[in-house]
Amino acid sequence: MNFFDGPDEATFRSELRAWLAENRPSKEGDRDHGADGNRASLEWHRQLYQGGWLGLSWPVEYGGRGLTPLYDAIVNEEVGASGAHVPSVGYLGRAILHYGSDEQKRTYLPPMLRGEVQWCQGFSEPGAGSDLASLRTRAERRDDVYVVNGQKVWTSRAQWADWCLLLCRTNPELPKHKGISCLVFEMNRPGITVHPLQQTWGTAEFNEVFFDNLEVPIENRIGEEGDGWPLATIILAHERGPADIGFIAHFQHQLNEFERLLSELPEERRSEFANRVAQAYVSVAACRLHVLKSLSLRAKGVAPGADTSIDKLLMTRVEQELGALAWDMAGAAPSLGLDDETVYQYLRARASSIYGGTQQIQRSIVAQRLLGMPRG
């Protein structure tokens, strides 16, 4: 495995760094995680797309550039290293690329990539979070529509979304993994109620979403009836990969901040944190090396699978380690309400061991699918 850029990749990285130096949004804008922050995030999405930096591995006919996934990884690394975020268009787009009809791909993918519409992901439910296959939201087929009833929860950015990709049960008679299908629809349709949920870190980016006799046209189904579970596994595999969401570079950016803070601390406090910063470097390096292994397989055409659970486990460990270190190095400021960003970072990191599948779920996947261990 070669950890270094080839000539074309090095040129691409250099051009991207130069562009980011001229175009990266202000760091102050990153601190708003509410409605204004969402608008700023969408504007940044559009700016990246117009610069030619999004959808690099997507087919050209749907707005991409037809490059290898390594170029997406370079964008994630460099944008994250600049302190900015990478828009998460990959999860849902990948599912539509794999299971959507040609017409659906032409309809949904280019506006998604351009940042003209926002999407939310209707997966988790009360009682069906980590055990997603137990979902109970029903979609009953009546003539040329599905009638949807049920509830989703922890739906990120649903209050701002234009479209939703929904997992629902279309055949309750089949085993739970077999009777699930996928529908997409506009969020302004009658029969949808969105309730934002206030998080401990002070924002309401998650939501409850209720469906009451929502009618969705048959042609809005992605794939065939019963394709919902394999479609979901594609989305979750990409969601669990730190490289797909810019986490590795974001971690490196945090390490750089820790070094700066360390140099500013009094001598007695500097020695207290020096070993923890060094350990954080080791943790980030271990996560990065495994992610590079995963990316090298994807570059060879191997789709992400159960091994992304290792990435997710490592990512969670690192994110929570860095969040705790940031809190401790900040002294009393977070506890006194004088450092909202560190509070957000620390509390948000606690959620990383839940979203995308809990730590327990990830360990079970590693044990059963990678190590061949029996259930139970």
Side-chain angles (χ1 to χ4, degrees):
M1 183 168 55
N2 187 347
F3 296 128
F4 302 100
D5 292 337
D8 292 341
E9 294 157 0
T11 299
F12 178 87
R13 190 185 295 272
S14 177
E15 291 172 351
L16 174 56
R17 284 181 180 175
W19 185 89
L20 286 169
E22 295 290 329
N23 293 277
R24 191 232 181 268
S26 71
K27 292 186 179 181
E28 290 303 314
D30 295 342
R31 298 180 183 274
D32 188 331
H33 305 288
D36 290 341
N38 181 69
R39 283 191 289 271
S41 177
L42 192 57
E43 182 57 38
W44 174 235
H45 178 143
R46 293 166 180 163
Q47 193 174 350
L48 280 169
Y49 177 79
Q50 290 166 4
W53 309 113
L54 286 185
L56 300 177
S57 63
W58 286 29
V60 174
E61 59 266 35
Y62 305 125
R65 293 175 58 177
L67 302 174
T68 72
L70 292 176
Y71 286 89
D72 286 325
I74 291 171
V75 170
N76 286 326
E77 285 182 356
E78 294 300 326
V79 174
S82 76
H85 72 281
V86 180
S88 54
V89 297
Y91 316 155
L92 306 186
R94 293 293 177 184
I96 296 173
L97 277 170
H98 277 81
Y99 282 92
S101 66
D102 290 342
E103 183 178 356
Q104 288 172 335
K105 293 174 187 177
R106 288 191 297 269
T107 300
Y108 301 131
L109 293 178
M112 179 189 294
L113 197 56
R114 292 193 295 261
E116 295 173 355
V117 295
Q118 288 184 277
W119 285 69
C120 64
Q121 177 180 319
F123 276 30
S124 294
E125 298 181 5
S130 296
D131 185 14
L132 181 59
S134 294
L135 64 87
R136 293 184 294 178
T137 294
R138 291 282 304 275
E140 180 183 351
R141 185 165 180 172
R142 299 179 188 171
D143 298 325
D144 59 349
V145 300
Y146 286 101
V147 179
V148 180
N149 286 279
Q151 177 188 357
K152 295 293 179 177
V153 73
W154 312 125
T155 309
S156 301
R157 300 178 181 265
Q159 71 270 54
W160 303 310
D162 303 294
W163 283 77
C164 178
L165 184 146
L166 179 79
L167 287 185
C168 50
R169 192 162 300 283
T170 48
N171 191 337
E173 305 301 322
L174 293 175
K176 64 180 185 179
H177 289 85
K178 301 291 186 180
I180 298 172
S181 300
C182 175
L183 304 177
V184 297
F185 49 83
E186 305 96 321
M187 286 293 288
N188 61 1
R189 297 181 73 88
I192 302 174
T193 303
V194 178
H195 289 164
L197 299 170
Q198 185 79 10
Q199 271 70 67
T200 58
W201 50 82
T203 64
E205 60 204 80
F206 298 151
N207 302 266
E208 292 178 296
V209 184
F210 298 89
F211 305 104
D212 183 14
N213 291 324
L214 165 68
E215 294 188 356
V216 180
I218 296 294
E219 58 265 26
N220 284 34
R221 186 186 65 225
I222 304 297
E224 301 298 326
E225 281 197 9
D227 281 346
W229 187 251
L231 180 149
T233 61
I234 289 174
I235 293 175
L236 291 173
H238 284 277
E239 186 177 2
R240 291 170 181 161
D244 290 305
I245 45 182
F247 263 69
I248 297 301
H250 175 66
F251 292 156
Q252 185 61 53
H253 179 75
Q254 286 183 276
L255 290 176
N256 294 340
E257 285 294 300
F258 291 150
E259 276 199 81
R260 182 186 63 78
L261 290 172
L262 201 61
S263 68
E264 297 174 356
L265 289 175
E267 184 63 35
E268 61 274 12
R269 293 201 70 211
R270 191 180 308 161
S271 60
E272 175 187 352
F273 289 108
N275 285 341
R276 288 182 64 185
V277 172
Q279 180 57 53
Y281 265 93
V282 173
S283 298
V284 171
C287 187
R288 177 177 178 272
L289 289 173
H290 196 274
V291 166
L292 287 173
K293 175 185 175 183
S294 299
L295 285 173
S296 68
L297 292 173
R298 285 169 58 178
K300 295 176 182 178
V302 179
D307 58 316
T308 59
S309 288
I310 299 177
D311 290 340
K312 177 64 162 56
L313 287 165
L314 291 171
M315 180 191 79
T316 297
R317 174 183 172 181
V318 171
E319 187 176 9
Q320 293 183 350
E321 180 181 347
L322 298 185
L325 181 56
W327 183 287
D328 292 343
M329 291 185 73
S335 299
L336 295 174
L338 302 176
D339 188 350
D340 290 343
E341 189 63 20
T342 296
V343 172
Y344 173 85
Q345 177 183 336
Y346 176 82
L347 294 177
R348 187 68 174 78
R350 308 315 300 169
S352 67
S353 54
I354 299 174
Y355 66 71
T358 66
Q359 296 292 83
Q360 293 81 2
I361 291 292
Q362 306 308 324
R363 292 190 181 102
S364 292
I365 291 173
V366 171
Q368 295 164 18
R369 301 184 192 175
L370 297 180
L371 302 179
M373 298 174 68
R375 287 182 177 270

